[in-house]
């Protein structure tokens, strides 16, 4: 089945649950918020690909509250050089 479905998940608690595969059904990813639920049936390989894509995305996010150690080192070196000149 092809198609695009868009769901707006409001701020708040969203539950992600994976129901293990059974003899008759593949693994099911349940996304639940309040009384609403979305269910996606995936193979284990598709779940692994989803995990890889999410991890790659999250690894690419730079968190502004995390100081860049290289920038701190450069600032300390520049400060030491300026103090040595003065």
């Amino acid at each position: 089945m092809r198609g695009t479905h868009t769901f707006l998940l409001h701020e708040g608690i969203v539950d992600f649950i994976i129901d293990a595969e059974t003899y008759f059904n593949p693994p099911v990813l349940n996304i639940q918020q309040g009384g609403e639920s979305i269910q996606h049936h995936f193979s284990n390989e598709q779940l692994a690909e989803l995990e890889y894509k999410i991890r790659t995305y999250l690894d690419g996010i730079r968190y502004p509250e995390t100081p860049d150690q290289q920038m701190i080192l450069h600032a300390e070196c520049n400060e030491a050089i300026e103090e040595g000149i003065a």
Side-chain angles (χ1 to χ4, degrees), residues 54-85:
I54 291 172
R55 186 168 306 284
T56 300
Y57 172 78
L58 292 176
D59 287 345
I61 295 174
R62 275 190 86 105
Y63 297 98
E65 66 272 6
T66 304
D68 185 349
Q69 297 302 315
Q70 190 65 36
M71 288 178 62
I72 293 172
L73 177 63
H74 284 304
E76 290 173 353
C77 289
N78 288 339
E79 185 178 324
I81 290 170
E82 290 175 5
E83 288 177 3
I85 294 173

Side-chain angles (χ1 to χ4, degrees):
M1 179 172 123
R2 289 190 160 259
T4 302
H5 305 280
T6 303
F7 299 94
L8 177 60
L9 298 173
H10 302 285
E11 295 289 327
I13 297 172
V14 179
D15 292 321
F16 299 93
I17 302 165
I18 298 179
D19 297 329
E21 67 182 322
T22 64
Y23 182 75
F24 297 105
N25 295 313
V28 178
L29 171 63
N30 291 301
I31 304 171
Q32 299 175 345
Q33 182 180 36
E36 301 176 17
S37 176
I38 304 166
Q39 295 182 341
H40 294 282
H41 296 256
F42 292 112
S43 67
N44 287 323
E45 292 80 15
Q46 290 169 324
L47 282 174
E49 181 68 19
L50 177 62
E51 184 269 340
Y52 172 77
K53 298 284 185 174
I54 291 172
R55 186 168 306 284
T56 300
Y57 172 78
L58 292 176
D59 287 345
I61 295 174
R62 275 190 86 105
Y63 297 98
E65 66 272 6
T66 304
D68 185 349
Q69 297 302 315
Q70 190 65 36
M71 288 178 62
I72 293 172
L73 177 63
H74 284 304
E76 290 173 353
C77 289
N78 288 339
E79 185 178 324
I81 290 170
E82 290 175 5
E83 288 177 3
I85 294 173

